[in-house]
Amino acid sequence: DVKVTQSSRYLVKRTGEKVFLECVQDMDHENMFWYRQDPGLGLRLIYFSYDVKMKEKGDIPEGYSVSREKKERFSLILESASTNQTSMYLCASTQSRRLAGTYEQYFGPGTRLTVT
Amino acid sequence: GNSVTQMEGPVTLSEEAFLTINCTYTATGYPSLFWYVQYPGEGLQLLLKATKADDKGSNKGFEATYRKETTSFHLEKGSVQVSDSAVYFCALIPPLFNKFYFGSGTKLNVKP
């Protein structure tokens, strides 16, 4: 079974802190994604990465950055946390589109971040 | 552009009732279509998928048929259980894309 793990299930940080959310997948997937989930807004894509050291902005990248130094690990960074970044953060991974067969996203359990 | 529209919730049903959650889409080319489910406190899990027109995806008693002519992928289940209470997301990925497009989610509450 594909496994996507996230470093914390719950996190409480103060305004202005630098926050790191870590995601690790064990299926050698090329693509990794960070979403935030808010009531009534569904999932919104923050950033994604299709290879080591490669990244692309999603729909709401402002206030976030990412790092992918190893294929299995994708980090989301909040440079200076603000209260409007209180949310559920979901990491996901997929194999490359170049590979035939099933193509689906596998999700981690999520990190519920509260910024006070 | 690419987008997914699904019915707003919450949907409240009694156990053993019939379920339909509507999903329509706009997409570039012929996308693959998915339904994901999110149980309380968890991430999303793939429920079923369909990759071409007229395909029917099915899993755990849930079904959805890829209808190209109506650009729809409605989720159905003949008899829901309390354990089906969750949020359901419809999603698509266009051909040659790496990015998924999700609907806003529909919360289902099933009462005993």
Side-chain angles (χ1 to χ4, degrees), chain B residues 1 3 9 15 17 19 22 34 39 47-48 54 59 64-65 76 82 85-86 89 91 93-94 99 106 112:
Chain B
S3 67
E15 210 166 18
L19 168 71
N22 290 336
F34 305 82
Y39 298 104
L47 181 59
L48 53 85
D54 300 325
N59 186 25
T65 301
E76 296 182 336
V82 172
S85 297
F89 290 90
I93 184 166
K99 181 181 168 183
T106 302

Side-chain angles (χ1 to χ4, degrees), chain A residues 36-112:
Chain A
R36 65 176 281 176
Q37 182 181 12
D38 300 289
L41 297 176
L43 272 68
R44 292 182 290 168
L45 182 64
I46 304 171
Y47 269 96
F48 68 100
S49 168
Y50 49 88
D51 202 351
V52 174
K53 296 192 186 297
M54 306 298 285
K55 60 186 179 185
E56 282 199 27
K57 293 180 180 179
D59 302 316
I60 51 162
E62 296 79 18
Y64 304 93
S65 62
V66 290
S67 171
R68 189 151 181 220
E69 297 296 319
K70 293 185 178 181
K71 191 174 185 180
E72 68 271 18
R73 187 180 297 269
F74 191 35
S75 302
L76 179 70
I77 303 153
L78 287 66
E79 297 289 344
S80 176
S82 63
T83 54
N84 62 13
Q85 293 178 310
T86 291
S87 186
M88 168 73 94
Y89 290 88
L90 293 167
C91 175
S93 73
T94 66
Q95 65 185 30
S96 169
R97 207 67 201 273
R98 294 176 286 106
L99 300 174
T102 61
Y103 187 79
E104 59 193 70
Q105 282 202 329
Y106 295 87
F107 284 83
T111 296
R112 185 163 293 284

